[in-house]
Amino acid sequence: MTIDYDVVIIGGSLAGYYAALAATQLRATVALVEPKVDYGFSYHHALTEIGKLAKKLNDAPSFGIHARHTHTSEECHISMAWTEAMLYAQCVASNLKEQHSLAILAARGVDVIVGSGQFQSSPQLTFVVNNRLLRARAYLLASGSRPEIPEIDGLQATGYLTLSNIWQSLKGAILPKNWVIIGGIPQSIEIAQTLARFGCSVTLVVKHPYILPYLDPEIAMLLQGQLEIEGVRVLTKKSVTQVRLIEDKKWIQAGDKAIETDEILVATGHQPNLESLNLATVGVKWHRRSLVVNDKLQTTNHRIYACGDVIGGYDFANIANYEAKIALNNALFFPRLRVNYHSIPWAMFSVPMLAQVGLTEAQAKRQFGRDEVLVLRQYFKTMAAAQLRDETTGMCKLIVLRNGEILGASILGAEAGELINLIALTMSQKIKVKDLANLSPVYPSFSEILEQTAREWSKQRLNSNIALQEFLEGFFHFCRNWNL
């Protein structure tokens, strides 16, 4: 069999770019097949900056909403703020696209092939693109995903936006005043808060009991409260049953509530970009939302690997890159590495920021038992850094065993994305919570929250030991009184 490449990477997602560059560092011959599709990842990265800019513009004296006197003036200022924010986002997106340009990949030794292709099984496994046969020792699917559109009566006829086209649709357009966002995923929450900060009326409809189904409920309620303070109307445990266009107005039926809106954003999840790849011919199985892979990230064809949101889960770049590293090493060398998400953090770019790693309180107690798990809490309002920056909303929550092993953490607050990285490092290196309590962070800094939270472990152990001692003393006293 003639081999053209060590690995062929299919898909222009961020994970695909990361894997292609990593392959060149391993001295592998690599081709990246990128369809003629704009995945919009650059605008997703610019999203948080739009929200931050919105807050800055609203707080500035020249753009301050609270200083406005007329409805017309308010609309004018919101329009100006939106225009400035979109220009800023376009600059950020342009810079990110430049960093991930095809020219940079080609300069690093990646054979970049633009076009759509499909697998062919006969006479041997190849990938065909632009009438060219690409033969490789292994293939890596990193084709990303697209928004999943739920089957809701009247939705298609009424019209809607998705995560892939919202920013392009709004570029150069007047920002709609009223929004309904369907779906509880990180991106929907980020966009809901961003739009509210630009003065929009936003309703977020979530079918789960909490705004995110896999989030610690205590943290979820705190985040929901922050969203509601900023003007986002959150409807949980509500399913959208129908959408109608009545007298040029869009109406949504969410549970027992009928909501009038100017625009609808559907953000219920993703489905993988797989249909055109001819996977069935080469024995690759997939479900509606993900490919079937093992813990080595092999598909049901042992020469084809996959990574990123094409295998399901939330769309987080750091997790996709972690998977790309595992899959690439297994594809190029002996397949021995296995994915372990226990110490891989993720973050949502809300304000305040939310980050999580490892097990939640409920998961830990189910796995290890309620008596073996300690829950440590500390609030951001106790820190000098939070007071100085007026960012006192937030909480750090550590989940640990009685022996000091850290099982997980949830952080809502300023710099949560940076703080969770330190927790993830301690978990990956098996560092105990007592060592975290001995940390001497710079003062004032947000890192103090980790030290303060970790100190709660020794307090809880001391209290439990005192309680045990009191129980034993009472038991012995009872025995003496009854001559036992």
Side-chain angles (χ1 to χ4, degrees):
M1 174 181 174
T2 302
I3 299 296
D4 299 318
Y5 302 97
D6 292 315
V7 61
V8 170
I9 301 170
I10 300 159
S13 64
L14 280 177
Y17 281 95
Y18 178 87
L21 290 175
T24 61
Q25 294 173 355
L26 294 172
R27 308 292 179 140
T29 55
V30 54
L32 174 68
V33 180
E34 177 173 320
K36 298 176 182 179
V37 177
D38 181 10
Y39 289 97
F41 63 84
S42 54
Y43 266 88
H44 174 69
H45 280 265
L47 171 64
T48 56
E49 296 305 320
I50 297 176
K52 292 177 183 176
L53 185 59
K55 188 175 188 335
K56 291 177 182 178
L57 291 172
N58 288 340
D59 292 342
S62 58
F63 290 92
I65 292 177
H66 300 296
R68 299 163 192 163
H69 301 292
T70 66
H71 181 68
T72 303
S73 176
E74 180 178 341
E75 291 181 345
C76 178
H77 281 288
I78 290 175
S79 177
M80 291 174 63
W82 177 251
T83 301
E84 292 289 330
M86 290 304 294
L87 287 174
Y88 184 87
Q90 289 174 40
C91 291
V92 173
S94 177
N95 291 336
L96 289 172
K97 285 183 178 180
E98 184 66 26
Q99 292 175 17
H100 297 90
S101 68
L102 301 183
I104 290 178
L105 288 177
R108 299 282 182 88
V110 178
D111 188 1
V112 179
I113 304 168
V114 178
S116 299
Q118 61 181 9
F119 281 102
Q120 177 179 292
S121 61
S122 179
Q124 59 191 25
L125 179 63
T126 57
F127 191 79
V128 183
V129 56
N130 300 337
N131 296 320
R132 176 181 170 185
L133 299 180
L134 305 181
R135 294 175 288 266
R137 289 195 292 119
Y139 299 84
L140 177 59
L141 292 175
S143 52
S145 62
R146 63 185 184 276
E148 180 186 45
I149 308 303
E151 294 183 3
I152 299 174
D153 182 26
L155 180 62
Q156 296 291 342
T158 304
Y160 56 91
L161 296 176
T162 67
L163 295 172
S164 64
N165 65 15
I166 176 174
W167 302 117
Q168 291 293 335
S169 299
L170 295 177
K171 186 164 55 176
I174 297 175
L175 181 64
K177 178 66 177 176
N178 301 298
W179 288 77
V180 170
I181 299 177
I182 305 173
I185 61 174
Q187 293 91 335
S188 66
I189 296 171
E190 294 166 354
I191 292 175
Q193 189 176 43
T194 297
L195 293 173
R197 289 186 162 208
F198 279 102
C200 297
S201 175
V202 182
T203 300
L204 178 65
V205 183
V206 181
K207 67 179 181 180
H208 305 288
Y210 303 101
I211 54 177
L212 282 178
Y214 306 114
L215 191 62
D216 184 285
E218 192 174 8
I219 297 289
M221 292 302 295
L222 190 57
L223 176 60
Q224 181 175 331
Q226 180 64 31
L227 292 174
E228 291 173 341
I229 288 173
E230 296 196 27
V232 179
R233 181 189 182 194
V234 181
L235 302 179
T236 57
K237 294 192 287 188
K238 302 288 184 185
S239 295
V240 176
T241 55
Q242 61 178 330
V243 179
R244 292 289 183 267
L245 186 65
I246 304 175
E247 296 180 355
D248 296 327
K249 281 291 184 179
K250 297 179 180 180
W251 286 84
I252 283 183
Q253 187 69 38
D256 58 351
K257 298 184 182 298
I259 307 167
E260 180 185 344
T261 185
D262 298 323
E263 192 55 82
I264 300 169
L265 172 66
V266 177
T268 54
H270 298 82
Q271 60 184 41
N273 294 315
L274 300 173
E275 287 79 2
S276 63
L277 299 179
N278 198 27
L279 295 179
T281 300
V282 292
V284 175
K285 297 180 181 180
W286 75 93
H287 301 305
R288 184 168 61 95
R289 287 194 173 187
S290 65
L291 278 167
V292 177
V293 295
N294 60 18
D295 57 0
K296 297 178 181 178
L297 299 181
Q298 286 175 309
T299 67
T300 46
N301 184 317
H302 72 279
R303 289 176 56 196
I304 301 176
Y305 293 77
C307 65
D309 49 337
V310 73
I311 64 175
Y314 288 146
D315 183 13
F316 293 124
N318 67 306
I319 295 178
N321 290 345
Y322 166 74
E323 293 167 343
K325 183 164 48 179
I326 298 292
L328 184 64
N329 276 273
N330 285 339
L332 294 176
F333 309 109
F334 185 76
R336 59 181 179 81
L337 300 180
R338 302 175 187 272
V339 289
N340 181 359
Y341 299 103
H342 180 62
S343 59
I344 305 299
W346 61 269
M348 185 173 69
F349 296 92
S350 54
V351 180
M353 193 174 185
L354 185 150
Q356 190 165 293
V357 65
L359 302 179
T360 63
E361 177 183 353
Q363 291 170 339
K365 288 181 176 178
R366 280 198 302 267
Q367 184 171 336
F368 295 95
R370 302 183 65 88
D371 295 335
E372 290 300 314
V373 175
L374 298 179
V375 180
L376 316 178
R377 297 178 181 84
Q378 191 59 262
Y379 296 90
F380 274 65
K381 63 183 179 182
T382 63
M383 292 190 303
Q387 296 286 348
L388 290 169
R389 280 178 40 177
D390 192 25
E391 296 181 274
T392 56
T393 299
M395 179 176 68
C396 177
K397 187 173 182 180
L398 294 181
I399 313 300
V400 302
L401 290 176
R402 288 191 175 275
N403 65 5
E405 180 184 350
I406 302 174
L407 300 176
S410 298
I411 304 176
L412 177 70
E415 309 297 341
E418 302 297 335
L419 297 174
I420 206 70
N421 290 330
L422 183 55
I423 299 295
L425 178 62
T426 61
M427 292 173 60
S428 66
Q429 299 302 311
K430 309 294 185 184
I431 298 173
K432 296 294 183 71
V433 69
K434 66 178 181 180
D435 300 311
L436 193 60
N438 291 327
L439 183 70
S440 298
V442 171
Y443 178 88
S445 70
F446 285 96
S447 299
E448 291 179 81
I449 194 77
L450 301 181
E451 177 197 19
Q452 293 179 13
T453 309
R455 284 180 181 177
E456 296 295 316
W457 175 71
S458 59
K459 294 179 183 178
Q460 288 199 26
R461 277 175 56 90
L462 178 61
N463 292 336
S464 62
N465 289 337
I466 292 174
L468 177 60
Q469 183 178 351
E470 291 177 346
F471 169 78
L472 292 175
E473 289 176 353
F475 177 74
F476 292 143
H477 179 71
F478 171 80
C479 292
R480 286 194 297 269
N481 287 343
W482 288 89
N483 296 319
L484 296 178

